[in-house]
Structure formats: structure tokens, C-alpha cells
Amino acid sequence: MESTISTIGSRIRKLRKDKKLTQKDIAKTLGISDAAVVHWEKDVNTPKLEYLNILAPTLDTTIDFIMYGKEESLENIKDFRPVTRMLPVLTHVQCGTMTNVRSISAHDIEQWLPSPPEAGKNSFYLIAQGISNSPYFNDGDFICIDPDVDFNSVQTGEMIVVCQDDEATFKALVREFNTTYLKALNENYQPNIIPLKENSEYKGKYVGKFTPSKKFL
């Protein structure tokens, strides 16, 4: 069955009002400007997939209904598949300067990837650099970091991102006696042990990896 509401913008506007949400509420949830929501509802622009993945459950609907006005003909039939949440891929510079994920403008994010199961609401991806943690993590791997995991709860051997001297470092945490330091997983990498400096800033704990599809021939 298809909705009689003819445009994407009009469907978003009606669903938003049915939920008693303002355009500002939607913008805050998605981490975008109020103007972006206004442009959607006026059919000036169309929401991208990464926003639709958050917008649909926020409005208690489906992406198909927002985009095409399509809904199930039988009320008791529901799609059991979970809606995939998309997370931003940040550069190491963005990670080093951010106060929280929301401090990064959506316009400055060039890539979004599906969230791993263990990721928190403010998680983000970084792209691993170099061979310091190979073969467990290789150059170019998408690593998911949760900034809301308390540093004091991180145990020895768990991977974290720390910013030192405006440079983001991805290493294993080691707590030994009264000393805390970072260690590269690649035993041949030097320096293998990296001390935590006084200006170190903990950015989050590793909670998963995104593996893109590969060509086999």
C-alpha cells in the first residue's frame, strides 16, 4: 500500500508532527543544521542514507515509507531486520581536535560506515595507519572507537586511542604495578613501548572493525 502523501518532504513533515517533534529536535538527533531539515521538508534536498538510517526509527517508520511512501498492506507484518546505524569515519586530525563526536560538523565527514554491535551512540571510525599493530590491525583498516567507555574500566591488552602532541595513537593499554603505558602489537615495531605523557588525552576504546567486501579474482 502506498501513502497518499506525495512527496518525501511532506511525509517527513507529517511524521515529525505526529511525533510532536520540532525541526530542531530532528536536527539535534541527526547532528545536522536546522536548515537541512527545513530543506528536506520543502523538497529542496533529499536525506542521504546515513541520515535515513537514523531518521526512520526516530519517526517510527521505514526508509521505504519516507522515500517512496510504501508501507505494509497487513498491519501485523513487520520487517524484523534491525535498522543499521551509520557511524562517521574521522581523520586522525579530527579525532585529535574533537571534544566529542558532535563537535565535528556533518559537512566535514566524507564517509559513513555501518555500526558494529558493541558500538555506543557516540562511536566513530578511524582508519588505521602503519604496521605497528600488524597482523591484528593493518594499514587502512576501519577501527571503531567508543569514546564513552571510561578509561579506568579499560583493562590490560585492550586497544585504545590516545592523543599525544596533537597526534592520535592506536595501541594496546598496559597496566603494570603503578605504571600505565601503551604497547604496539607488532613485536618487531620500534618503539614497541610508548609512555603516556602528561598531556595525553584518552579518546576511546576499540569496540569493533568494519571489513569491506573484497575481490577474490
Side-chain angles (χ1 to χ4, degrees):
M1 184 171 67
E2 293 194 8
S3 170
T4 56
I5 305 175
S6 59
T7 69
I8 295 171
S10 58
R11 286 191 287 274
I12 293 174
R13 182 169 59 252
K14 183 179 186 306
L15 289 165
R16 174 179 61 78
K17 290 184 175 181
D18 287 346
K19 295 285 292 180
K20 294 181 170 53
L21 295 171
T22 65
Q23 292 173 332
K24 186 179 291 292
D25 292 332
I26 298 297
K28 185 177 180 180
T29 299
L30 273 62
I32 59 176
S33 67
D34 298 359
V37 180
V38 172
H39 288 162
W40 292 346
E41 294 191 357
K42 289 184 176 180
D43 291 302
V44 175
N45 294 325
T46 301
K48 294 180 180 179
L49 178 60
E50 58 261 30
Y51 298 130
L52 287 169
N53 275 300
I54 304 173
L55 182 62
T58 300
L59 298 177
D60 285 338
T61 188
T62 64
I63 293 176
D64 275 352
F65 181 79
I66 293 175
M67 294 300 294
Y68 312 112
K70 294 180 180 179
E71 54 188 341
E72 297 289 356
S73 57
L74 297 177
E75 292 184 1
N76 62 342
I77 295 179
K78 291 187 177 181
D79 190 341
F80 61 86
R81 294 170 297 177
V83 176
T84 301
R85 189 162 56 93
M86 305 294 281
L87 299 179
V89 179
L90 304 185
T91 66
H92 283 251
V93 172
Q94 288 172 324
C95 176
T97 58
M98 74 176 187
T99 54
N100 56 60
V101 178
R102 294 297 183 190
S103 69
I104 305 294
S105 169
H107 301 293
D108 294 328
I109 299 169
E110 297 183 356
Q111 188 175 10
W112 297 75
L113 293 173
S115 167
E118 301 300 319
K121 64 179 181 178
N122 293 311
S123 295
F124 58 90
Y125 282 101
L126 287 179
I127 301 177
Q129 297 179 342
I131 60 170
S132 63
N133 294 311
S134 65
Y136 304 100
F137 300 95
N138 298 306
D139 189 62
D141 282 353
F142 293 97
I143 54 174
C144 185
I145 306 300
D146 189 341
D148 295 328
V149 176
D150 185 67
F151 176 73
N152 293 324
S153 71
V154 180
Q155 300 178 15
T156 292
E158 293 184 311
M159 303 296 291
I160 63 172
V161 168
V162 171
C163 185
Q164 297 189 148
D165 303 322
D166 295 326
E167 182 178 348
T169 300
F170 179 56
K171 296 289 184 293
L173 179 70
V174 178
R175 299 184 187 275
E176 196 170 69
F177 303 109
N178 295 323
T179 305
T180 303
Y181 58 90
L182 302 177
K183 183 176 181 179
L185 299 182
N186 183 350
E187 296 293 341
N188 297 319
Y189 181 83
Q190 296 298 326
N192 186 260
I193 302 298
I194 301 172
L196 283 171
K197 300 181 181 179
E198 289 187 3
N199 67 344
S200 297
E201 186 177 355
Y202 168 72
K203 291 296 182 176
K205 173 186 168 182
Y206 167 77
V207 292
K209 183 192 297 188
F210 174 78
T211 304
S213 60
K214 299 180 180 180
K215 293 181 179 179
F216 292 92
L217 294 176

